[in-house]
Amino acid sequence: MTTAVHVQSVEGFGTVTIRPVDPDRDAPLLHGWVNEERARFWGMGGTTVEQVRDIYAHLDSLTTHHGFLVDLDGEPVALFQTYDPEADRVSECYTVEPGDIGVHFLIAPSATPRSGFTAGLVGALVDFSLRGHSRVVVEPDATNEKAIARMVRVGFELGPEVVLPEVDLPEVFIPEKKARLAFLTR
């Protein structure tokens, strides 16, 4: 079991625990999440469990990008990734400032949606992200109106719509993506 890097009790919500993704152990769970239609913006649809394991093993080998599994009261509820924008394709689309941290998150599917769930979870993820950083940068797909509205509701300021360039490496292929930048400053 990997060690938690952040544990936060959120009043009226529960205890949020963030720990690094263990590619071997977590790949089957993450595979189910990233292959759902609702996760199409992650660009991992059609991947196998082994491919998901390889993607997160590659991510785990980097010092600039990190994958985390997020639990609420001991149950996995989200996939969370942080990255140094200077070391990412997003740096070609805006002027990175000292203290910036980029994030991606995917909320796990749930058979029983809970009012206020996303707000409670995002609050804890932002708190974790801002440790040692002054600004959080997100770049949801420009057509993902729900994600963009969610970011605005939690306090992000919308930036420009940009085109993130394609990444084609032996370890990973990420297609070009039209995204909407958003920023949350401490």
Side-chain angles (χ1 to χ4, degrees), residues 8-45:
Q8 182 173 344
S9 226
V10 179
E11 189 174 332
F13 184 65
T15 301
V16 176
T17 304
I18 301 172
R19 68 162 176 82
V21 166
D22 177 325
D24 292 321
R25 187 186 67 217
D26 298 330
L29 174 68
L30 299 179
H31 172 263
W33 294 358
V34 300
N35 273 280
E36 288 200 351
E37 171 58 24
R38 61 190 273 304
R40 67 190 172 283
F41 302 111
W42 278 68
M44 293 175 67

Side-chain angles (χ1 to χ4, degrees), residues 64-110:
T64 56
H65 292 65
H66 306 284
F68 301 97
L69 191 64
V70 182
D71 290 350
L72 176 62
D73 297 330
E75 293 297 319
V77 295
L79 173 59
F80 186 60
Q81 294 176 193
T82 63
Y83 62 91
D84 175 355
E86 278 290 341
D88 192 85
R89 65 185 180 162
V90 74
S91 67
E92 296 180 34
C93 301
Y94 87 103
T95 303
V96 178
E97 295 180 5
D100 281 0
I101 184 169
V103 305
H104 303 286
F105 70 96
L106 174 66
I107 296 174
S110 173

Side-chain angles (χ1 to χ4, degrees), residues 112-157:
T112 56
R114 179 175 159 190
S115 178
F117 179 84
T118 302
L121 188 62
V122 169
L125 297 177
V126 165
D127 288 349
F128 170 67
S129 301
L130 286 174
R131 294 184 327 178
H133 297 93
S134 54
R135 185 168 73 159
V136 177
V137 180
V138 295
E139 23 91 3
D141 188 289
T143 63
N144 189 343
E145 294 174 11
K146 283 180 72 174
I148 293 167
R150 180 180 304 127
M151 295 299 94
V152 169
R153 280 193 309 273
V154 297
F156 280 78
E157 292 183 31

Side-chain angles (χ1 to χ4, degrees), residues 168-173:
D168 192 2
L169 302 171
E171 302 86 2
V172 66
F173 172 78

